[in-house]
Amino acid sequence: MYCYLKRAIDFVLALVGCIVLSPFFLLLFLLIKLDSKGPIFFKQKRVGKGKSHFMILKFRTMKVDTPKDCPTHLLENPDQYITRMGKFMRKTSLDELPQIYNILVGQMSIIGPRPALWNQFDLIAERDKYGANDVMPGLTGWAQINGRDELPIDVKAKLDGEYVEKMSFLFDCKCFLKTITSVLKHDGVVEGGTGSLKK
């Protein structure tokens, strides 16, 4: 039952977000174009509900010659590919805002496991153990606010499984509020590596 309510909440909030943030989006469009050559948006094939594929939308934060379909932490020297504007947007998570479109069309939810790259087979397999591939991926989720880039794959998948078990309106509200805190603190952002959790 909550799945239907969750979809309705996602749609309404995404629609309101598009309207309210449209002037801010226009400013980011201009800054991205002035900072480096290339498109404003970056599209990438990701894994959705039921392991279907969809194209996730982000603001472009990397140069056009960056290797395709490679997670940032697997690049030998990611800093050489990230633009100046890109560093700011990644640090503040502003690059993720265009996923409001993915939410509007029903490919993503506001809260859920972050969608894996199509070729992150180890993460996809781990998520299968916990049923985390059977729910809508999210803009943010339980794993995101408990380590983000610092998490090893098995821990991330387990946290995604915990989300599936606890998924409810109140738990989604908790994830949303904690996401705001994490973004403001820049928790768990590690360029060029998975990092290690702070004890």
Side-chain angles (χ1 to χ4, degrees):
M1 183 66 183
Y2 175 60
C3 291
Y4 298 105
L5 176 61
K6 183 178 174 71
R7 173 59 192 147
I9 293 171
D10 285 338
F11 181 82
V12 171
L13 290 181
L15 184 60
V16 171
C18 281
I19 296 169
V20 172
L21 295 173
S22 55
F24 184 58
F25 282 172
L26 290 174
L27 175 61
L28 288 176
F29 293 170
L30 179 62
L31 292 174
I32 292 168
K33 291 302 288 185
L34 289 175
D35 182 51
S36 63
K37 67 177 182 179
I40 293 171
F41 297 108
F42 170 70
K43 295 180 181 180
Q44 192 176 55
K45 187 161 72 171
R46 295 291 182 109
V47 179
K49 184 178 180 180
K51 291 190 283 190
S52 59
H53 290 159
F54 72 99
M55 299 302 291
I56 200 171
L57 200 62
K58 293 187 175 189
F59 284 127
R60 180 178 59 83
T61 61
M62 307 189 87
K63 299 173 183 176
V64 292
D65 60 347
T66 304
K68 305 299 181 185
D69 289 327
C70 181
T72 307
H73 68 270
L74 293 182
L75 294 173
E76 187 173 337
N77 181 15
D79 283 338
Q80 69 177 309
Y81 298 110
I82 301 172
T83 64
R84 289 172 299 176
M85 188 62 190
K87 288 178 182 178
F88 169 73
M89 288 193 294
R90 281 170 170 257
K91 188 175 183 180
T92 56
S93 296
L94 291 175
D95 59 314
E96 309 286 358
L97 286 180
Q99 287 157 50
I100 288 177
Y101 169 79
N102 294 114
I103 296 170
L104 268 177
V105 299
Q107 296 168 329
M108 288 178 62
S109 179
I110 294 174
I111 310 295
R114 281 296 296 163
L117 276 166
W118 68 272
N119 58 359
Q120 286 182 294
F121 304 116
D122 47 358
L123 176 57
I124 297 167
E126 280 294 313
R127 283 178 168 172
D128 268 337
K129 298 176 182 178
Y130 304 102
N133 291 315
D134 300 327
V135 299
M136 198 78 76
L139 180 63
T140 185
W142 188 233
Q144 288 296 104
I145 58 179
N146 283 284
R148 197 171 174 175
D149 297 334
E150 295 178 339
L151 295 172
I153 285 172
D154 57 336
V155 175
K156 184 181 291 186
K158 188 174 181 179
L159 286 167
D160 289 332
E162 285 182 21
Y163 172 76
V164 174
E165 291 178 2
K166 298 178 180 178
M167 188 170 64
S168 66
F169 176 71
L170 289 178
F171 194 63
D172 278 0
C173 288
K174 179 179 180 179
C175 290
F176 185 81
L177 293 173
K178 291 196 72 171
T179 294
I180 295 173
T181 303
S182 293
V183 169
L184 291 175
K185 292 181 177 179
H186 313 306
D187 286 344
V189 180
V190 179
E191 299 292 7
T194 53
S196 58
L197 285 170
K198 297 176 181 66
K199 301 296 184 182

